[in-house]
Every structure is written in structure tokens, then in C-alpha cells.
Amino acid sequence: MNIGVLTGGGDCPGLNAVIRAIVRKAHGVGGHRVLGFYDAWDGVLEKRYEVLDISKVRGILPKGGTILGTRRGSPFDYPDGVERTKQVFAELGLDALVVIGGNGSLTVASMLADDHGLPIIGVPKTIDNDVVGTDATFGFQTAVQIATDAIDRLHTTAESHDRVMVVEVMGRDAGWIALHAGLAGGATAILVPEVPFDTREVANIVSKRHDRGRYASLVVVAEGAKPKPGTLDVPEPALDKYGRELHGSISQVVAPALSKLTGYESRVVQLGHVQRGGTPTAYDRVLSSRFGLAAVDAVYAKAFGLMVALHCGRIERVSMQVTRGQTRTIDLDLFNDVAAAFFG
Ligand code: F6P
């Protein structure tokens, strides 16, 4: 068999572990040919790939990023993109393509598989943990650990200066990283896209904490957090070349607002792509490896249009259609009943 693999969307710790698992099982055990396409769909459309054997994946398990490179964008960006993709599948004799991606890439993969008949299997990834149909994505745990380590460090400097630290983490549509890192790091308050906030309420929490003699506050803000309508002016974000909002401004607005309302000095820390870089945690390496092996089983079973997913600790297959244009938002019980119990 000829089995293709590509990584799409934003990179994420654990991508290389998936690629390694696919090559070890499909090529190493099964004797099949694995074609790694460079730069996501660009590599498919331009027939840029490399044949991956065991030597090519040696040592990549702990490496962050992706040896294949990644891009946003898809065949649907071109009028003849789907036809060209079909042609490439035929020319290369591709029996299957494994797409490792987040919501955007899986939506595209689902459309190509179910609406255009291409033999595609999905593997869900993203540090944001916001893919519908799986209990978790790999990369998330690593990002949470990085953010938690940063919050721990910020506590001591915030205490020394009696400051309010506003820490911005990734999460444009879902606040999973903010919720988990904020909870693990003992945040004074956590702001997530799912629950519009009012800076006056946050300022009250901060002031009460300082009144109790607890110096310094850590407010963790997801990049996509939104104020309640009419409570705070947030500048319109710029757009990237794919028309997606470029985040990174919410903490810049929240911090001065909190200073003004509480009288305490504030500082902003935007963790940005630090959360996506570097080596995956052991948990993410294990999940990625399991996903990679399960993706090869799905190829053998011709389970096209499906993705591998984690359900109650087991790896199962679900239709990629559930991801189309969807976002898996946070567990509101965890936010309201657990995280909020520690606010202040
Ligand atoms: O991978 C998802 C994500 O981490 C979002 O949380 C973030 O907004 C986005 O990627 C930024 O990615 P890039 O800068 O690569 O476009």
C-alpha cells in the first residue's frame, strides 16, 4: 500500500510522535510505503513529499514541531484544488492519506473524504483541546504544563512587587488551556471565551484578596476571552492572511483596566507560541503514539471519513463530520464548580 501522511494547521507537540508511530507500524511492521507530504496540502498539490522509512523517524519522538512542516489552507482555496488532489492521489497510487490536524484540517479532510470520495483518515491534534468527538487532543497537556510552570514563576515576582499579573494563554474559541493552567497554577481569576467577563467583578475579586493580606494576583486570560457587552472597549483585532483574527490584545486591555479599578500595578505576560514549542510531555507522547498506530489500523480497515479519538481512555473511531465547523468548548462545571471555588 501507499499511505500518505500530512500535518496541517498550527503545529503542536506530539506531531512527530504520531508520524513515527505510523511509519513504525505501516512501514516497519506492515512493509507498506509511507509518503510524508511537506507543508500540509501544499505538499499534496505540488507533489512535494518524501518516502519515510524507519531511519527518517529515528529520534523524533521527543521533538516538538513537525518534521513535515505545516501550513493552513486547503485544496478548497483553489477552483481546481479538489480535482488536482484527486489527480495526485491517482498519479502516486495513494491508497490512503492520514491527515493530522485540528478543527480546520479535519473539516477539510471530512469534506474530501465524504463529499469527494477520497480515502482519508483523521488524527485530531491541537494544544487548544477544542476538537469535537474526542475526549482530548495531544499537545494540550504539554501546553498546560508550560503555562502552569510560567504561572508558578510569575507568582514569586508578582508577590515581591505586590502586582497584578495578567497572563494571556492560547485558546481562541475555547478556554481549555486557561482553565486547566489557571486551576493548576492557583489563579486569582480565569477569563475564558465561553464566559463573558466584567472587569469590575474581576477587580472586586482582586481587591478582596489584597484586603485579606494576600499580596499579588494572577489573572489568567484566554486570548479569545470577551468582555460582557458594553463593559470594556477592546480594539478590533487584525486579521492574518487566512482571515483569522490575530489575537494578543485582550490582556493589554484587561491589565490597565484592573489597575485603574484596584489601584494595584499590573503587568502583562503573553505566553504565545512558547506554549506550542518544544518537547511533548510523556502523556502526549503516549497519546500521539496510540493515535498513530490506530490511524494505521483505520487505514487497513478502510475506515475512510473517520478519525481516531480518545473515549474514556480507549482509542475509538468517529466520523470526522462531527468536527465540521465545530468547537469543543470547556466543561462549564469544571469552570463554575471547581476553578471558581479558588478565585480570589
Ligand atoms: O493551534 C491553535 C492556536 O494555538 C490558537 O490558540 C492560536 O490562536 C493560534 O494557534 C495561533 O497560531 P498561528 O500564530 O500559528 O496562526
Side-chain angles (χ1 to χ4, degrees):
M1 287 177 100
N2 287 317
I3 302 171
V5 55
L6 66 80
T7 50
D11 76 336
C12 161
L15 287 170
N16 286 327
V18 180
I19 297 168
R20 170 180 174 268
I22 290 171
V23 173
R24 290 283 286 264
K25 179 156 182 160
H27 174 67
V29 180
H32 302 292
R33 200 159 158 260
V34 179
L35 285 64
F37 288 95
Y38 292 126
D39 304 329
W41 292 103
D42 288 2
V44 175
L45 293 168
E46 295 158 15
K47 280 194 276 179
R48 285 191 292 112
Y49 64 90
E50 119 176 67
V51 176
L52 298 174
D53 59 20
I54 302 292
S55 71
K56 299 270 173 49
V57 297
R58 192 164 286 140
I60 68 171
L61 174 63
K63 278 198 182 151
T66 160
I67 59 165
L68 295 175
T70 186
R71 295 282 184 280
R72 301 197 193 274
S74 83
F76 294 105
D77 298 341
Y78 309 93
D80 61 346
V82 175
E83 277 320 302
R84 275 165 60 199
T85 307
K86 284 185 176 175
Q87 246 171 38
V88 171
F89 269 64
E91 281 171 29
L92 299 180
L94 271 190
D95 297 289
L97 176 68
V98 180
V99 172
I100 315 171
N103 285 318
S105 305
L106 294 171
T107 295
V108 166
S110 168
M111 287 158 60
L112 288 171
D114 291 344
D115 306 347
H116 298 278
L118 284 169
I120 297 178
I121 301 290
V123 175
K125 67 90 217 184
T126 168
I127 64 163
D128 293 348
N129 202 34
D130 62 355
V131 175
V132 173
T134 181
D135 292 350
T137 53
F138 62 88
F140 169 63
Q141 232 246 7
T142 304
V144 168
Q145 192 58 55
I146 293 168
T148 304
D149 290 345
I151 292 168
D152 286 349
R153 287 177 180 276
L154 291 168
H155 266 296
T156 58
T157 170
E159 277 161 11
S160 308
H161 291 267
D162 194 13
R163 280 177 176 152
V164 179
M165 287 291 192
V166 177
V167 187
E168 184 172 313
V169 297
M170 280 187 172
R172 54 175 56 229
D173 303 308
W176 287 101
I177 299 176
L179 172 57
H180 282 249
L183 185 48
T188 306
I190 301 171
L191 313 184
V192 292
E194 293 87 341
V195 185
F197 65 87
D198 183 338
T199 36
R200 285 166 303 193
E201 288 164 14
V202 182
N204 270 341
I205 295 173
V206 168
S207 296
K208 274 194 195 141
R209 173 182 166 87
H210 288 245
D211 289 348
R212 289 203 315 267
R214 299 291 306 276
Y215 296 141
S217 294
L218 261 289
V219 177
V220 178
V221 187
E223 62 186 346
K226 306 255 181 312
K228 286 184 184 161
T231 60
L232 186 68
D233 284 335
V234 181
E236 277 294 310
L239 302 181
D240 68 10
K241 66 174 183 172
Y242 303 105
R244 295 173 8 126
E245 289 184 357
L246 279 169
H247 287 292
S249 55
I250 190 68
S251 52
Q252 304 283 359
V253 184
V254 167
L258 291 180
S259 275
K260 203 168 160 204
L261 289 162
T262 63
Y264 290 100
E265 203 181 20
S266 66
R267 288 288 186 272
V268 170
V269 179
Q270 289 170 319
L271 293 182
H273 294 78
V274 167
Q275 296 159 95
R276 265 182 19 196
T279 189
T281 57
Y283 174 90
D284 279 335
R285 293 181 204 187
V286 172
L287 182 58
S288 302
S289 300
R290 293 176 74 196
F291 274 176
L293 297 180
V296 175
D297 284 334
V299 168
Y300 293 165
K302 296 192 186 332
F304 304 128
L306 305 191
M307 66 177 190
V308 297
L310 184 70
H311 281 155
C312 303
R314 296 170 63 86
I315 308 292
E316 295 176 358
R317 292 176 198 149
V318 297
S319 168
M320 282 190 286
Q321 287 191 14
V322 297
T323 67
R324 291 196 189 189
Q326 298 299 312
T327 300
R328 181 171 163 262
T329 50
I330 58 163
D331 175 354
L332 284 175
D333 290 342
L334 186 63
F335 184 82
N336 291 319
D337 301 342
V338 183
F342 298 97
F343 287 176

